[in-house]
Amino acid sequence: MKFLVTGAAGFIGSKLSEVLASRGDDVVGIDILNDYYDVRLKEARLQRIEETLKDVDSDQKGSFRFIKLDLADRQAMESLFAEEQFDKVMNLAAQAGVRYSIENPLSYVDSNIVGFAHILEGCRHNKVKHLVYASSSSVYGLNESMPFSIHDNVDHPISLYAASKKSGELMAHTYSHLYQLPTTGLRFFTVYGPWDRPDMALQKFSKAIFENKAIDVYNYGKHRRDFTYIDDIVEGIVRVLDNIAQPNPDWTGETPDSASSPAPWRIYNIGNQEPVELLTYIETLEKYLGKSAKKNLLPLQPGDVPDTFADVEDLVRDVNYKPSTSVDEGIKNFAQWYKDYYKVS
C-alpha cells in the first residue's frame, strides 16, 4: 500500500513511517520542519528511518520518501494528493502543546483546523481508502467520570488545543457522512518514550536534572496520567489503519453514540489503562538517569486536567490490541536514549 504520513519528522510520525516502510509499505512523509523545537532533532528522526531501512531485507521492505510541505498550503496539498494517489493517510501533523495553545492560539487554527481541512479535501477527491488522524485525551476536558470512555460526551474542552482536536473529529464525521470517506480518530493518552519532543515532560525534566536546575511540577505532582509508550501507540495506529472504519448499523439518532455513526466513522482511545502519579513518574526517571531532581511544586495550571485514564475496550474488541508497556520499562528505554543522544551521564 502507499501511505501518506503527515508530521513524519515528529515523535510519533517518524516511528510510524519507520514501521510501515519496514513491513513493506511505500511511505511518503511530509513535515513543515518548523522551529517550534530544535529542527536538528526532527532531522535526526528522519535519518533514523533511513538507517533502519538499510537493515531490512530488500525483498521485504517498502520505501520512505520525505517532502517538506506545509499542511496549510492549499495548492501544494492539492497537488500532492493528485500526483501521489495514496491508498491510506495518517494525519499526525499538528501544532502540539496545551500550554502553548494558551499563548499562541491562532497557530492551532492554521495547522489543526485549516491544515486538516486540506487533508480531508485531498482524501475526498482522490479516493483514499482510509483516513486515520490523531486526536487527544485532552478532548475530555471537564469530564470527571473515569476511565474516559469514547462513548461519553466531550463538549467541554479547556484549551484551544483540545478544542482543535475535537473540531477535527467533527470535521471528519462530516466528510464520512457526506462523501462516505472512512475516517478514524485516535485519542492518544500522554505519549512518551525515546525521540520525544523537548517540550514534553521527560525531556524537560531530564535537561533540568543534568543542569542541576529545579523542575516545575504542576498540581504538586498529584497529576495522574495514563502514560502510553511510543511503540504501543504506533502498534495501535498500524492496526487501526489496517481496519477500515465501518458504519455502525445499530446507531440511532434517538440514542446517539459518540464514538460511531451510520457513516464510516470511528473514534478510539489508545492508552495504557494504568494511570501513574506524576511524582512516581519523576522518581522512575531519577532512578534510570541515576540523578535526583530538585522539584519546584506548583498549583494546577490553566488548561490542564488533573487526571487521565483511558477505556480501551472498543480498541480491544475491534482490532484486538491493548497497550502493555510498563512505565518502568518505557522510562528505562527513554533514559538510555536521552543519555546517548545528548551525550550526558
Side-chain angles (χ1 to χ4, degrees), residues 133-154:
Y133 58 95
S135 186
S136 169
S137 61
S138 297
V139 301
Y140 288 101
L142 292 176
N143 287 28
E144 294 183 358
S145 177
M146 297 284 175
F148 290 150
S149 170
I150 56 174
H151 303 288
D152 290 341
N153 177 284
V154 288

Side-chain angles (χ1 to χ4, degrees), residues 184-199:
T184 302
L186 300 177
R187 294 174 180 169
F188 299 146
F189 280 68
T190 316
V191 190
Y192 75 100
W195 298 94
D196 69 354
R197 301 194 316 267
D199 65 320

Side-chain angles (χ1 to χ4, degrees), residues 6-8 10 30-32 34 36-37 42 70-71 90-97 100 107-113 115-116 119 133-136 161 164-165 188 197:
T6 72
I30 66 171
D31 201 294
I32 192 176
N34 65 20
Y36 175 64
Y37 60 88
K42 301 178 183 183
D70 185 356
L71 258 65
M90 180 67 215
N91 183 46
L92 289 160
Q95 178 60 60
Y100 189 70
S107 64
Y108 290 75
V109 175
D110 292 340
S111 177
N112 300 7
I113 297 178
F116 189 51
I119 291 285
Y133 58 95
S135 186
S136 169
Y161 170 70
S164 72
K165 290 298 188 179
F188 299 146
R197 301 194 316 267

Side-chain angles (χ1 to χ4, degrees), residues 101-279:
S101 72
I102 296 171
E103 301 166 12
N104 296 278
L106 292 182
S107 64
Y108 290 75
V109 175
D110 292 340
S111 177
N112 300 7
I113 297 178
V114 175
F116 189 51
H118 294 161
I119 291 285
L120 287 165
E121 278 290 278
C123 292
R124 167 198 171 191
H125 290 293
N126 294 278
K127 297 183 173 56
V128 168
K129 297 179 177 69
H130 194 194
L131 166 62
V132 181
Y133 58 95
S135 186
S136 169
S137 61
S138 297
V139 301
Y140 288 101
L142 292 176
N143 287 28
E144 294 183 358
S145 177
M146 297 284 175
F148 290 150
S149 170
I150 56 174
H151 303 288
D152 290 341
N153 177 284
V154 288
D155 284 342
H156 299 88
I158 56 175
S159 69
L160 191 68
Y161 170 70
S164 72
K165 290 298 188 179
K166 169 67 174 177
S167 298
E169 295 179 0
L170 296 174
M171 291 163 67
H173 183 269
T174 303
Y175 274 71
S176 295
H177 172 74
L178 291 175
Y179 311 114
Q180 294 303 299
L181 169 66
T183 67
T184 302
L186 300 177
R187 294 174 180 169
F188 299 146
F189 280 68
T190 316
V191 190
Y192 75 100
W195 298 94
D196 69 354
R197 301 194 316 267
D199 65 320
M200 297 175 77
L202 285 183
Q203 281 215 51
K204 287 173 65 176
F205 293 165
S206 298
K207 186 175 187 293
I209 289 170
F210 279 108
E211 293 177 353
N212 201 32
K213 297 178 180 178
I215 62 176
D216 290 337
V217 182
Y218 296 110
N219 200 28
Y220 309 104
K222 297 187 182 299
H223 277 325
R224 293 175 74 246
R225 289 287 182 268
D226 205 343
F227 296 104
T228 313
Y229 189 59
I230 179 63
D231 289 10
D232 289 347
I233 289 287
V234 169
E235 175 66 19
I237 292 172
V238 170
R239 293 198 185 205
V240 170
L241 277 166
D242 291 342
N243 187 64
I244 296 175
Q246 301 294 324
N248 178 3
D250 299 322
W251 196 93
T252 169
E254 294 179 351
T255 55
D257 172 33
S258 296
S260 64
S261 171
W265 177 89
R266 294 283 171 156
I267 297 289
Y268 296 106
N269 287 334
I270 303 187
N272 207 42
Q273 284 200 302
E274 291 186 10
V276 173
E277 192 170 88
L278 181 57
L279 282 177

